[in-house]
Amino acid sequence: MAFSFSKLIIFGPQGAGKGTQTEFLTKRLGVPAVSSGHLLRLEMGQDTKLGHFLKTQMSTGELISDEIINLLIKNYLLGPECVRGFLLDGFPRTVDQAKFLATFAAVDCILKINISDAEAVWRLSGRRTCPSCGMVYHQESKPPQKAGSCDRCRVELIKRSDDTPEAIQKRLKIYYTETVLAVVYYQTQSIPILEINGEQTIEAVRQEIFEKLGL
Ligand code: AMP
């Protein structure tokens, strides 16, 4: 059966591979990926009051206030890039954010990638990110062609400041106590939720997602 979803959200604990799978999906679906974390990190790189605030706040693993993130996301989703739809990664993270999103966009499909905590910690500890395009690598399972450098931008990869053991534990806790409730919210709205086994090779996860989406 073929589906034609255009407004999707990808859920999963940190390290589940959302960013990697989003890369494959956006090409196939023809809609842009919108990562709330990436949008915030772009703001964080600015020499502004907000940029400095985000730098301190995000390194702890705590959530950023709805006031800030809701505005950023709304502006982006209502902008010209998203006229054909979007694939959201990292937003919503709470039921309140999901309800806010519903005031201006009708989500039509949820993908939920599942992995264990042990796997998440292993993956995040070896994760390296491109500060320019947001592309995500792993030192062992998805290394860049040239060590330490982004395949696309050629800039030096960084270890995120919130990929420390303390911040990782905090982020996982928030996922299981708050973000899964947003998934439950979509269940109550009868939005299709596709559960994906994230503890497979990147290619096998990609295949499972494509099959379940009818792509
Ligand atoms: P991520 O790249 O999705 O792991 O997000 C990194 C960090 O950005 C999180 O730990 C939060 O501090 C912040 N963040 C990202 N998305 C949200 C959101 N929807 N609500 C609040 N904070 C967020």
Side-chain angles (χ1 to χ4, degrees), residues 32-120:
V34 183
S35 155
S36 52
H38 184 60
L39 289 180
L40 286 166
R41 280 185 289 279
L42 288 178
E43 288 291 330
M44 191 173 94
Q46 306 292 317
D47 188 17
T48 58
K49 217 170 150 187
L50 176 61
H52 294 294
F53 168 76
L54 291 175
K55 202 167 193 169
T56 318
Q57 180 78 5
M58 284 170 69
S59 62
T60 64
E62 297 282 358
L63 291 185
I64 299 303
S65 72
D66 284 357
E67 201 187 350
I68 295 172
I69 188 66
N70 284 355
L71 189 66
L72 264 182
I73 287 286
K74 186 173 181 180
N75 283 345
Y76 198 85
L77 294 186
L78 295 181
E81 290 89 350
C82 299
V83 283
R84 296 181 57 201
F86 52 77
L87 174 56
L88 265 175
D89 164 8
F91 188 94
R93 262 176 157 88
T94 62
V95 174
D96 280 351
Q97 290 182 2
K99 288 183 176 167
F100 173 75
L101 179 62
T103 62
F104 62 93
V107 170
D108 52 23
C109 181
I110 304 294
L111 287 163
K112 181 168 171 276
I113 308 185
N114 304 310
I115 59 166
S116 67
D117 274 8
E119 181 72 14

Side-chain angles (χ1 to χ4, degrees), residues 7-13 16-23 25 33-34 86-92 107 109-113 175 179 183 194 196 205 209:
K7 294 190 178 106
L8 302 90
I9 306 174
I10 189 161
F11 284 100
K18 300 185 295 291
T20 303
Q21 296 301 328
T22 292
E23 286 282 317
L25 273 166
V34 183
F86 52 77
L87 174 56
L88 265 175
D89 164 8
F91 188 94
V107 170
C109 181
I110 304 294
L111 287 163
K112 181 168 171 276
I113 308 185
Y175 178 77
T179 307
V183 180
L194 310 180
I196 309 294
V205 175
I209 292 177

